[in-house]
Amino acid sequence: MELKVDRTIDARGSYCPGPLMELIRAIREARVGEVIEVLSSDSGSKRDIPKWCQKAGHELLRVVDEQGFARFIVRKAR
Amino acid sequence: MSRRVLVVGGGTGGSIVANLLARRPDMEVTLVSREATHLYQPGLLYVPFGWVSPEQLVRPQRPLLHPRIRFLHDEVREIDPVRRVARLSAGELAADAVVLATGARLAPEEVPGMEDAHHFYSPEAAVRLRETLARLEGGHIVVGVAGVPYKCPPAPLEFALLLEWELRRTGRRSRTRITYVSPLPRAFPIESVADVVEPIMARRGIELVTFFNVERVDPARKTVSSLEGEEIPYDVLVLIPPHRGTAPVALDGIADRGGWIRTDRETLQVAGYDHVYAIGDATDLPVSKSGSAAHYQARTVAERIAAGNPGRDIRYTGKVMCFLETGERRATLLRFDYQHPPRPAPPNPVAFALKRLFNRVYWALVPTGRV
Ligand SMILES: Cc1cc2nc3c(=O)[nH]c(=O)nc-3n(C[C@H](O)[C@H](O)[C@H](O)COP(=O)(O)OP(=O)(O)OC[C@H]3O[C@@H](n4cnc5c(N)ncnc54)[C@H](O)[C@@H]3O)c2cc1C
């Protein structure tokens, strides 16, 4: 099933502030239930983004591997 | 035929772009800024320790600008990006190309209880913090950021490290406890930099709390709490307020909910308008909000406008270069772009000397567009 994404952030090549910071910013601006997609080429995101989602209570719906980057799809849950 | 360029904002980015274009005889440049002065914001880091005073960080705007620039000390209230007409308090202004360099604004009102927190991101706040630190005998000092994004990601970490050094030098360190709260799983967004800094923090006894995204401050109980559900008591709280964009625009969709201008990460064009550009802190670009990023972006935009054809292949590569000072007369230089992560050296006296030199030569070299 195709997911409806409300907003995509292309954070490829973002080292500072970094993809996780871009995600946190987007989550703060989003409404509960909205779905945010972050594109990251930073290998640390694979570890950091799931960890933060779990700690902050947001739903990591999907991680999709692409050529040279990954897509993280997150729903703001609270 | 000469072309009219309107630059909005006289900070780092706006001053550079205006000065670069004004050198060309075929450009008619107007710069509109709300301030009659230019503030060297990086120097605010030193104000809380009394190392510089805010007056040393401010200069009049006009002498920093090329004589051919028309400088209007005014505010742009609205811009129509299709017709490229700006509404100022003193009337309307039309242009062939527009550059938005309006920076960010601080939004402490977004965090309940922020009135009890100190920061150093404005001259007034930095002076208030200086007074508090001068009187400080001891206690628990908590340092961090109240929201992302914020300008100059190294600054709060640099503050914590400089504070530790200063308290040691003034014989108060043993009576103080310093905690650094980070919204991320580490002390700094970039892992290679965190790997350098975290052992230094540990050695100098600065406690690190990770995954701490500030939600509220309770001034009565003197505690700060996070989205993740933790609560930390403090005696002195230093929290960089949330930042917001400042876009003066008419059309919907040009800025996101944070007020950041939607900007193409390579062409720097605004939301698809050919002759409207945005640079610096005002944008939604995934690079650090820094004078350095604004500087490189200003050069790209000046070249694109000079080339005349918006399709030409002049692009911003994501380049940023900034210093991270760690106290004890040491610093390290971070350089990176969209393709290359930084590989910082261990903090050293040479980078420290370069940073202090940069603080002095800024006025002659940076806003003027000489480098
Ligand atoms: C404590 C601190 C330390 C820092 N350290 C560093 C560092 O070491 N290295 C580094 O690279 N960066 C550093 N920075 C960040 C740097 O100062 C900013 O990123 C930089 O100034 C951004 O430039 P800008 O042109 O985008 O915006 P600004 O320089 O903020 O300029 C924006 C200007 O636009 C004007 N304006 C806004 N809206 C309007 C309007 N509607 N009409 C007319 N005028 C308007 C404003 O009044 C302001 O003058 C630091 C910042 C702080 C606070």
Side-chain angles (χ1 to χ4, degrees), chain B residues 183-195:
Chain B
L184 298 170
R186 60 186 82 89
F188 195 73
I190 312 172
E191 198 162 8
S192 57
V193 178
D195 287 346

Side-chain angles (χ1 to χ4, degrees), chain A residues 2-77:
Chain A
E2 260 315 296
L3 264 174
K4 187 185 157 294
V5 170
D6 296 291
R7 179 165 176 202
T8 296
I9 297 153
D10 186 352
R12 282 176 290 176
S14 176
Y15 299 106
C16 178
L20 176 55
M21 284 263 243
E22 297 288 347
L23 173 65
I24 296 173
R25 162 167 94 90
I27 289 274
R28 286 211 188 224
E29 284 165 14
R31 302 191 184 96
V32 173
E34 280 186 330
V35 174
I36 293 156
E37 174 184 58
V38 183
L39 316 187
S40 169
S41 54
D42 177 7
S43 56
S45 294
K46 280 257 165 74
R47 189 190 47 211
D48 293 351
I49 291 182
K51 236 164 109 184
W52 182 76
C53 289
Q54 202 196 358
K55 179 137 189 200
H58 301 296
E59 232 179 302
L60 179 59
L61 300 175
R62 212 171 278 178
V63 182
V64 187
D65 277 309
E66 306 274 358
Q67 191 76 30
F69 68 100
R71 294 174 190 278
F72 297 85
I73 303 175
V74 181
R75 177 185 288 130
K76 177 163 175 155

Side-chain angles (χ1 to χ4, degrees), chain B residues 36 39 52 62 109 115-116 143 168 170 175 183 204 210 221 223 249 265 292 296 302 308 350 356 362:
Chain B
L39 169 67
V52 297
R62 176 70 257 190
E109 67 280 1
E115 64 278 4
D116 203 43
V143 181
R168 216 172 344 127
T170 51
R175 283 170 276 133
R204 290 167 51 186
T210 57
R221 293 173 53 236
T223 58
V249 280
R265 44 190 261 141
S292 163
Y296 291 115
V350 175
R356 291 301 163 96
Y362 173 83

Side-chain angles (χ1 to χ4, degrees), chain B residues 8-15 32-35 37-45 61 74-78 101-104 120-122 151-152 155 158 243 246-248 279-282 288-294 320-323 355 358-359 362:
Chain B
V8 188
T12 306
S15 299
V32 183
S33 193
R34 217 162 31 201
E35 317 295 333
T37 51
H38 184 105
L39 169 67
Y40 178 58
Q41 299 175 36
L44 291 172
L45 174 63
Q61 179 72 39
D74 199 341
E75 183 179 36
V76 171
R77 301 266 172 85
E78 225 176 302
T102 48
F120 52 92
Y121 270 43
S122 70
K151 289 189 259 200
C152 193
E158 292 179 288
H243 288 36
T246 50
I279 57 173
D281 294 351
S288 58
K289 297 198 177 298
S290 62
S292 163
V320 181
M321 191 163 87
C322 61
F323 291 97
K355 161 112 200 236
F358 182 82
N359 289 336
Y362 173 83

Side-chain angles (χ1 to χ4, degrees), chain B residues 118 128-138 172 175:
Chain B
H118 283 278
R128 198 166 74 90
L129 177 54
R130 179 179 73 197
E131 286 159 6
T132 297
L133 291 182
R135 284 194 308 265
L136 182 86
E137 291 294 335
R172 294 176 289 174
R175 283 170 276 133

Side-chain angles (χ1 to χ4, degrees), chain B residues 36 39 49 57 103 127 236 239 256 265 271 319 322-323 325 353 362:
Chain B
L39 169 67
F49 309 111
L57 305 173
V127 166
V236 176
L239 270 190
D256 66 21
R265 44 190 261 141
K319 193 167 170 188
C322 61
F323 291 97
E325 253 186 86
Y362 173 83

